[in-house]
Amino acid sequence: MALERCSGRFFLVALSGLALSACSPSASTAVPPAANTVPGPAAAAPAPMVTGLPDFTGLVERNGPAVVNVQVVEGKRNAGRQQAPGMEDPFGDFFRRFGIPNAPGQQQQPRNQPPARGVGSGFIVTPDGYIMTNAHVVRDASEVVVKMNDRREFPAKVVGLDERTDVAVIKIDGKNLPTVRIGDPGALRPGQWVVAIGSPFGMENSVTAGIVSATARTLPSDQYVPFIQTDVAVNPGNSGGPLFNLNGEVVGINSQIYSQSGGYMGLSFAIPIDVANGVRTQLVTKGRVTRGKIGVGLQPMDAALAESFGLDRPRGALIGSVEKGGPADKAGVKEGDIIVGVDGRRIDSDIELPAIISAIAPGKDTTLEIWRDRGTRKLTARVVEMKPDGESAASEPGKGGGGEPASLGLSVRPLQPDEKQQVDTDGTLVVEDVDGQAARAGIQPGDIILGVNGTRVKTAAELSAAAKKSGKVVALQVQRGDRQFFVAIRAE
């Protein structure tokens, strides 16, 4: 609005264009009549993007009977599982902290402690009693009892469990049991409503709701599960319970929370049901889970590394190391290659590749789309079975940095034969001193330089020549101890 003066008084001019005057118009101040105009149509109000709130009652009534409480007696204590109600007074810690004598639940622990008891959740997937839950719920169990919401109880046996995905299958004897419907977690999008039903702190068939926060999350200790992240309230005892979409279909198994207190803090993680179902099928049919591998070590791509390899943007899985004699090695994969596709499926991040490869049956061929020398090519690798100790851990990326190829800030020397034997390397150049951009990028004295942008170098002259050809960003392939990784150094 504008404030103007008229004959010693003020009048207000609104933003809508309507003027209210407190003074009489004179000949000199009269406003000429406006020309006849036809008003245009009023701008239509934008349609609201969100309307109303969902009603979950139908979903809960339909699926609640198939969600069960899993009670466990274990031979040895497991600190990670929620204890069953009554096993420990929730106010006991308060009384112990303040030294109040004879407080409720403040009993001296017996010398021979009884078996620990735990509680979790699960859901029935077949009418004859197969139930899915978390591996950590039934691990070390000597006795498992399933309690349904109609108060029926069944003894259960553990069919099998898989530590890598934290999925377990248990079985009760029953007929015509209520079951859940399985959905497609690939259709989930951040912002969609989801519902959890479970037994937090032993409170059976508790319902909580929230939205999908993100998909394909990888947690530090889990390379083979692209978790669904939600803000659904999940607490100890919810483990193993189902996560539903609004169609009433199970899209995940609630498994983990991020917490600094032990309770819900807004970050919950669920195992996608397609991953869990693949595990269930193998556990039921053959009692164990087999996974494929191709024998590579991975590291993430960042903008500097992408530029150094000529990619349009950070994408794909950068190969930091190749297992000698492994499937990738036999297929012709090299360190510095970037896997951008598997069997026609695009790979945007290194976190996607382990889950995709591990799901391929050992003995099958897979087509890898490789980015190398600023172009794509296809290689075929025969997947082999992953051993229990797993595939090589993914290498960690360098921090990034910068420097002209002619002034990387490196001083290198030839690696002595006895040094090569000590570190078991094919490299021939060791960093003697480092400063400037290379130091800021994370290069350290004692690092062994293997190559530049995927091209092997054996002498200081080859290193210098390859660096000069790299342009503004140089990707050094480095060996440190038994790890190999790439470090991007950007020109100033």
Side-chain angles (χ1 to χ4, degrees):
M1 60 183 65
L3 194 61
E4 297 184 8
R5 186 180 300 273
C6 176
S7 302
R9 300 180 182 181
F10 291 97
F11 68 92
L12 207 57
V13 180
L15 290 176
S16 62
L18 175 64
L20 299 176
S21 178
C23 56
S24 300
S26 64
S28 60
T29 60
V31 179
N36 291 330
T37 57
V38 178
M49 299 185 68
V50 179
T51 58
L53 291 173
D55 182 350
F56 305 116
T57 54
L59 185 155
V60 175
E61 289 172 359
R62 161 65 178 81
N63 293 286
V67 180
V68 299
N69 175 272
V70 181
Q71 298 180 349
V72 175
V73 176
E74 58 187 24
K76 58 182 179 180
R77 290 194 180 275
N78 185 340
R81 186 181 297 122
Q82 166 67 22
Q83 288 189 322
M87 291 302 298
E88 182 169 332
D89 184 352
F91 298 101
D93 186 57
F94 173 86
F95 288 114
R96 284 191 294 271
R97 283 176 182 269
F98 291 90
I100 300 176
N102 302 320
Q106 190 177 351
Q107 300 176 359
Q108 187 171 357
Q109 292 292 334
R111 184 168 298 177
N112 296 318
Q113 296 184 10
R117 296 178 182 270
V119 61
S121 303
F123 52 98
I124 306 172
V125 292
T126 63
D128 59 346
Y130 280 99
I131 296 170
M132 297 183 71
T133 186
N134 281 147
H136 74 260
V137 171
V138 297
R139 185 190 302 126
D140 304 321
S142 60
E143 180 183 343
V144 180
V145 175
V146 168
K147 190 174 181 180
M148 302 184 65
N149 73 343
D150 61 5
R151 299 183 181 274
R152 286 186 293 170
E153 294 186 9
F154 298 85
K157 67 176 182 179
V158 178
V159 176
L161 56 86
D162 179 55
E163 297 282 358
R164 280 197 175 99
T165 56
D166 195 24
V167 172
V169 179
I170 60 178
K171 176 73 166 62
I172 61 177
D173 291 330
K175 294 181 179 179
N176 300 319
L177 296 172
T179 62
V180 297
R181 293 177 296 165
I182 302 301
D184 177 16
L188 288 178
R189 295 293 181 268
Q192 289 183 339
W193 282 96
V194 281
V195 176
I197 306 179
S199 303
F201 302 106
M203 299 179 184
E204 302 164 19
N205 269 83
S206 293
V207 182
T208 53
I211 63 169
V212 176
S213 304
T215 58
R217 284 283 197 231
T218 294
L219 304 183
S221 59
D222 296 272
Q223 294 186 21
Y224 302 100
V225 178
F227 284 97
I228 303 165
Q229 179 188 334
T230 76
D231 71 347
V232 177
V234 171
N235 284 289
N238 272 114
S239 290
L243 183 74
F244 294 96
N245 61 19
L246 288 189
N247 294 328
E249 300 165 331
V250 175
V251 290
I253 303 178
N254 295 308
S255 176
Q256 300 186 41
I257 60 174
Y258 177 85
S259 176
Q260 295 177 327
S261 64
Y264 169 72
M265 294 182 66
L267 295 169
S268 307
F269 299 92
I271 304 161
I273 195 62
D274 55 350
V275 173
N277 249 339
V279 171
R280 174 176 70 93
T281 300
Q282 293 195 58
L283 289 175
V284 170
T285 57
K286 55 186 179 183
R288 69 186 188 97
V289 179
T290 57
R291 289 184 172 83
K293 76 164 190 172
I294 58 174
V296 294
L298 307 177
Q299 73 175 86
M301 289 289 295
D302 58 22
L305 285 171
E307 184 178 347
S308 70
F309 287 105
L311 279 173
D312 55 342
R313 61 179 178 83
R315 58 187 174 95
L318 175 60
I319 305 300
S321 62
V322 179
E323 179 185 312
K324 291 182 180 179
D329 186 29
K330 292 178 180 178
V333 177
K334 301 178 180 179
E335 292 98 342
D337 285 347
I338 301 165
I339 298 179
V340 295
V342 175
D343 293 332
R345 179 175 177 177
R346 188 177 67 185
I347 303 297
D348 280 325
S349 169
D350 65 295
I351 65 176
E352 301 174 15
L353 189 64
I356 292 173
I357 295 296
S358 67
I360 299 174
K364 287 191 65 176
D365 288 341
T366 185
T367 301
L368 306 175
E369 186 176 354
I370 301 293
W371 179 268
R372 181 192 298 171
D373 297 332
R374 300 177 182 267
T376 56
R377 63 188 69 192
K378 292 185 177 181
L379 302 175
T380 301
R382 176 153 294 181
V383 177
V384 299
E385 183 176 349
M386 184 187 300
K387 300 303 179 185
D389 58 350
E391 205 166 358
S392 299
S395 302
E396 294 181 1
K399 299 288 186 181
E404 287 289 339
S407 58
L408 293 177
L410 292 175
S411 175
V412 298
R413 63 170 175 82
L415 199 62
Q416 300 301 314
D418 58 332
E419 293 175 324
K420 290 189 66 173
Q421 292 179 354
Q422 290 175 6
V423 296
D424 187 22
T425 182
D426 294 331
T428 58
L429 291 176
V430 63
V431 176
E432 196 169 33
D433 192 18
V434 59
D435 61 13
Q437 305 300 337
R440 285 191 284 274
I443 301 295
Q444 301 175 7
D447 286 346
I448 298 169
I449 306 299
L450 301 176
V452 176
N453 290 359
T455 301
R456 289 278 178 162
V457 294
K458 295 186 177 298
T459 66
E462 291 179 359
L463 172 61
S464 178
K468 289 179 180 178
K469 292 179 181 178
S470 299
K472 294 183 178 180
V473 182
V474 179
L476 292 184
Q477 186 181 3
V478 175
Q479 179 174 340
R480 182 178 298 161
D482 58 356
R483 291 193 305 118
Q484 294 184 19
F485 53 94
F486 285 85
V487 177
I489 304 177
R490 184 182 295 278
E492 287 183 334

